[in-house]
Amino acid sequence: MRLSDLPKGVTAVVDRVDDAHASDPIAQRLRDLGFVAGEPVRVVAIGPVGADPLLIQIGSTRFALRRNEAARVLVQAEAAA
């Protein structure tokens, strides 16, 4: 599942970041910000205009990402306990 498709408030774990092309600077920046395999992530809020941007929390840090940037991050939803 893509991070951009994750419902608000649901916790997931980052699987990987997809590169749009070789040496993709946006994908590399996402990795540098902490979007790496195994990190817990969730959508905190969704923007009002066209559902953009998304407020994403990874660890204790929050980022505003455009929907197309969040779509590069693949996640696995955590199983309900």
Side-chain angles (χ1 to χ4, degrees):
M1 161 187 300
R2 300 199 177 273
L3 180 55
S4 57
D5 298 328
L6 188 67
K8 179 180 168 185
V10 175
T11 300
V13 176
V14 174
D15 184 33
R16 69 179 189 276
V17 176
D18 278 345
D19 292 272
H21 51 78
S23 301
D24 183 356
I26 294 173
Q28 185 57 50
R29 181 68 176 146
L30 289 168
R31 288 185 202 97
D32 292 345
L33 290 171
F35 292 88
V36 294
E39 286 296 319
V41 64
R42 71 183 174 100
V43 176
V44 176
I46 299 172
V49 180
D52 227 2
L54 301 173
L55 181 60
I56 308 296
Q57 182 166 337
I58 186 161
S60 61
T61 306
R62 292 182 174 187
F63 299 99
L65 295 181
R66 293 182 186 104
R67 189 166 286 279
N68 65 346
E69 294 167 340
R72 295 176 189 222
V73 181
L74 281 102
V75 298
Q76 296 178 351
E78 288 188 338

